[in-house]
Amino acid sequence: MEIYLDTADIEEVRKLSQVLPIAGVTTNPSIIAKSAQDIETLLPELKVAMGGKGRLFAQVIASDVDTMIEEALRIGNVADNTVIKIPVTEAGLIAIKQLKQKNMLVLGTAIYSVSQGLMAALAGADYIAPYVHRMDRQGSDGVRVVKELQTLTTMHNLPTKILAASFKTPRQVVDCLLAGASAVTLPIELAYSIIHSPVVDDAVTKFTDDWQNTFKRRLL
Ligand code: E4P
């Protein structure tokens, strides 16, 4: 199982790498634009924030095959162990095949349906990223799409891993992992909502208070 952080926030990556079993960091053009950092400096800094290990994901912005390939090769030179995210469009499917011929690691992104995800897997993508919450918002069922993609990749022995993305709740994450997804990527707020909980804090405070009210000293 691989857990990623979906962010370009270097400080949060540094902090959360100490707490969670982070396999790496995923980004997209919107996330990087929000951070206003240059991709050439950002990717190596994210790597350092993870202690020099871990996988990075960065996406092309071009919409034509040749420029997608050109951008992918440039991203691949910025930091090692970087997976190139290619939107699964008509041009994207061609780019995925060509990048696999060049032995690049590729993730098919912006997946909103089972059939689209399957085509990316058949094109040879190492990962596919179904957008769970965005599908839910459209009236589709994101977890069901992940389940069906998992069933198809297993049934047909496709090596493509499902990296489920676009989450708003911990339940969506757990449901995707129960459906067999190999990987999930968590936005920072969601990662904190998993590890910070008022009810857990209340329970722990009550234990301490009960102890102190009786013994008025440390445990040992
Ligand atoms: C991952 O590939 C996507 O870029 C990302 O998880 C989308 O998340 P969002 O729907 O919260 O923007």
Side-chain angles (χ1 to χ4, degrees):
M1 186 190 301
E2 298 159 39
I3 311 273
Y4 295 94
L5 292 175
D6 203 21
T7 186
D9 188 324
I10 293 162
E11 208 34 60
E12 290 294 1
V13 170
R14 202 186 321 276
K15 266 163 57 183
L16 284 166
S17 293
Q18 315 289 316
V19 184
L20 298 172
I22 298 304
V25 172
T26 62
T27 65
N28 64 36
S30 306
I31 288 173
I32 296 183
K34 204 166 133 198
S35 79
Q37 291 172 93
D38 194 78
I39 198 163
E40 266 107 354
T41 49
L42 174 69
L43 295 182
E45 285 185 25
L46 285 171
K47 193 85 165 189
V48 172
M50 291 188 289
K53 49 188 177 355
R55 183 160 268 186
L56 294 167
F57 292 71
Q59 187 170 327
V60 299
I61 57 162
S63 52
D64 67 282
V65 179
D66 288 348
T67 322
M68 279 178 175
I69 302 290
E70 193 186 308
E71 289 177 353
L73 295 174
R74 291 182 69 176
I75 292 170
N77 281 333
V78 175
D80 64 350
N81 200 8
T82 299
V83 181
I84 312 298
K85 292 175 68 178
I86 304 284
V88 182
T89 56
E90 182 177 343
L93 285 167
I94 299 171
I96 290 171
K97 281 191 208 161
Q98 292 190 9
L99 288 169
K100 286 316 297 171
Q101 280 162 7
K102 295 179 190 295
N103 286 323
M104 305 281 293
L105 284 168
V106 181
L107 175 144
T109 195
I111 288 172
Y112 284 79
S113 72
V114 178
S115 49
Q116 184 200 10
L118 180 61
M119 290 310 125
L122 291 172
D126 301 281
Y127 292 88
I128 48 175
Y131 283 10
V132 176
H133 189 75
R134 293 197 200 192
M135 282 189 270
D136 287 353
R137 260 198 338 234
Q138 281 202 322
S140 170
D141 181 341
V143 170
R144 182 170 172 186
V145 168
V146 169
K147 264 188 202 145
E148 292 181 359
L149 278 168
Q150 185 59 47
T151 302
L152 282 165
T153 51
T154 305
M155 190 184 281
H156 296 282
N157 292 318
L158 299 172
T160 307
K161 291 181 181 178
I162 296 177
L163 191 165
S166 179
F167 290 114
K168 289 292 170 283
T169 69
R171 188 70 240 173
Q172 290 170 323
V173 176
V174 171
D175 284 343
C176 286
L177 292 169
L178 284 169
S182 303
V184 289
T185 186
L186 311 176
I188 295 298
E189 319 78 70
L190 182 55
Y192 279 118
S193 82
I194 291 171
I195 56 181
H196 289 168
S197 156
V199 286
V200 174
D201 292 345
D202 286 352
V204 174
T205 302
K206 173 92 170 57
F207 290 137
T208 308
D209 288 350
D210 287 348
W211 177 271
Q212 285 299 347
N213 288 339
T214 301
F215 297 112
K216 299 185 177 24
R217 60 168 169 80
R218 289 164 55 140
L219 185 66
L220 297 169

